[in-house]
Amino acid sequence: MTGLSVLIPVFNHDVRPLVRALLAQVPNWRGPVDIHCLDDGSDSIYRLKNRELAALPGVEYHELEYNVGRAAIRNQLAAAARQEWLLLLDNDSLLPDAHFLARYAAARTRARVLSGGTIYEALPPREEALRLRWLYGCRREARPAAVRQQAPHGQLTLNNLLIRAEVFRRLGLDESLTRYGHEDTKFGWLLRHSGIRVVHLDNPVLHNGLEPAPVFLQKSHDAVRNLVQLYRAEGLGADTRLLRAALRLQRWGLSHAVRAAFSLRREQVRRNLLSGRPSLRQLDALKLYWLLSELHGSAPSQPGGSRMAQKSADPSVEEPALRLKKEEA
């Protein structure tokens, strides 16, 4: 029998429903299963709730004294895991039905890396501040396996990833990416470079953690910074649509003109993205502006920004990702 270790990094989220749903499906795996939850410096209210998990059979719950980041905590979880397979899940995931582990069990002979995908609620959230994150998830992330398989390494995400432990430990996640975003971009590149096949399945988890628009925009800005960091340090990411467009504008000598033109409409874009009817085209334009500014060197990185964004769930907080005057050339 082949065992499974489920790895759940925890940050300011109640993971008890997810863990209990997984425990109910353990018999469907046909092998030993253990669940590892590692708290990454959450607020005390969440730690008090999640500590209940330590009393459940087959569950290990531990806490870190301070936040180490998305890559480092997953590396720590993988290092402590005992089984041959690892299932990586985000703490804001929910299982859509009672057959989630059974589908993975049936498919595990197909490849050493299997990606199940993500889905979102069909109806938009009532709160206007959550609409941007919901819309982005529905339009950009909730893709069927057949679509993701067209670019299997480029469409890989670390959430809902079943992978052989020896593969994950050998490659690992880049802990120099301390901000939010693109850990999976580099990991997918390492898998492709190593000749390791990725198979996408229609076995999604339900995303249950919509952030308010200011928080999502801060994370999106951090992800742009990470993309530029990967490109400058290792030449990675040039095949992404966003960076490809930015580099093309640079080659044509249009980078400065595009940034200047966008700065004239920054308040209009800001109002749209914070509204109840956000436009993903406006978001794409904002991300392109950020990326061109990063490549130009006019928008210095802000270490720790992602942690600030994670901790803030109040739309009234300052929105550094939207204060574009600070990032103009």
Side-chain angles (χ1 to χ4, degrees):
M1 293 188 294
T2 303
L4 171 68
S5 288
V6 183
L7 311 183
I8 307 174
V10 182
F11 184 79
N12 283 352
H13 206 86
D14 182 358
V15 294
R16 293 175 299 175
L18 172 60
V19 171
R20 292 189 176 111
L22 286 164
L23 288 173
Q25 297 190 29
V26 164
N28 296 333
W29 177 260
R30 299 191 302 274
V33 176
D34 44 58
I35 301 173
H36 301 260
C37 301
L38 183 57
D39 185 273
D40 198 14
S42 296
D43 296 337
S44 59
I45 185 173
Y46 294 100
R47 292 193 178 208
L48 289 173
K49 292 178 180 179
N50 290 322
R51 283 170 184 165
E52 298 176 8
L53 298 172
L56 298 177
V59 178
E60 293 189 10
Y61 172 81
H62 300 284
E63 298 174 353
L64 299 177
E65 292 185 10
Y66 58 90
N67 187 285
V68 299
R70 293 161 53 87
I73 195 167
R74 284 190 169 94
N75 286 341
Q76 289 189 34
L77 281 163
R82 296 184 294 271
Q83 308 299 344
E84 298 161 82
W85 283 96
L86 307 178
L87 175 57
L88 280 60
L89 293 175
D90 283 354
N91 64 184
D92 56 4
S93 299
L94 291 177
L95 306 188
D97 56 39
H99 308 289
F100 175 75
L101 285 186
R103 284 189 289 269
Y104 268 137
R108 61 187 171 183
T109 59
R110 295 176 57 187
R112 290 185 288 171
V113 183
L114 302 122
S115 179
T118 305
I119 56 174
Y120 287 75
E121 295 285 0
L123 297 177
R126 292 178 179 272
E127 298 88 347
E128 287 191 355
L130 304 180
R131 300 275 177 84
L132 177 61
R133 183 65 184 94
W134 173 83
L135 183 65
Y136 184 87
C138 291
R139 299 279 179 84
R140 301 288 173 82
E141 296 176 342
R143 295 175 173 174
V147 173
R148 288 181 276 124
Q149 196 65 50
Q150 293 174 11
H153 297 87
Q155 293 289 315
L156 177 140
T157 60
L158 293 173
N159 183 30
N160 196 14
L161 187 73
L162 183 69
I163 183 170
R164 297 283 294 194
E166 54 89 11
V167 172
F168 186 89
R169 292 189 185 114
R170 173 157 50 91
L171 301 178
L173 299 179
D174 185 350
E175 297 184 16
S176 72
L177 299 175
T178 56
R179 293 180 293 264
Y180 174 93
H182 288 291
E183 307 97 326
D184 41 15
T185 298
K186 180 170 183 180
F187 193 70
W189 182 87
L190 290 174
L191 289 170
R192 181 175 60 189
H193 184 73
S194 301
I196 298 173
R197 183 168 172 249
V198 176
V199 169
H200 288 264
L201 308 174
D202 286 315
N203 191 28
V205 291
L206 176 67
H207 187 276
N208 188 46
L210 299 177
E211 305 103 340
V215 179
F216 177 60
L217 288 169
Q218 177 65 59
K219 287 186 173 183
S220 299
H221 198 173
D222 286 340
V224 167
R225 292 179 174 124
N226 273 357
L227 182 60
V228 172
Q229 179 179 328
L230 286 173
Y231 175 69
R232 284 176 171 162
E234 305 179 57
L236 301 180
D239 55 346
T240 63
R241 185 176 64 172
L242 183 63
L243 187 51
R244 192 166 60 241
L247 294 175
R248 187 182 302 121
L249 289 171
Q250 280 194 328
R251 288 197 301 271
W252 293 344
L254 297 176
S255 175
H256 178 75
V258 170
R259 286 186 290 118
F262 184 87
S263 68
L264 298 176
R265 49 189 294 266
R266 60 181 179 270
E267 285 303 318
Q268 175 188 347
V269 172
R270 176 184 183 276
R271 288 193 298 269
N272 172 265
L273 295 176
L274 296 179
S275 75
R277 300 184 65 182
S279 164
L280 293 186
R281 293 183 66 181
Q282 301 273 38
L283 177 62
D284 291 340
L286 177 58
K287 290 166 70 173
L288 181 60
Y289 171 82
W290 284 335
L291 183 53
L292 290 171
S293 298
E294 288 288 334
L295 291 172
H296 185 69
S298 62
S301 299
Q302 300 174 5
S306 61
R307 189 178 307 169
M308 181 270 302
Q310 286 176 318
K311 286 182 176 292
S312 172
D314 184 354
S316 66
V317 300
E318 183 180 7
E319 299 148 21
L322 294 174
R323 301 192 183 281
L324 303 182
K325 286 185 178 180
K326 298 179 181 178
E327 294 147 16
E328 292 176 11

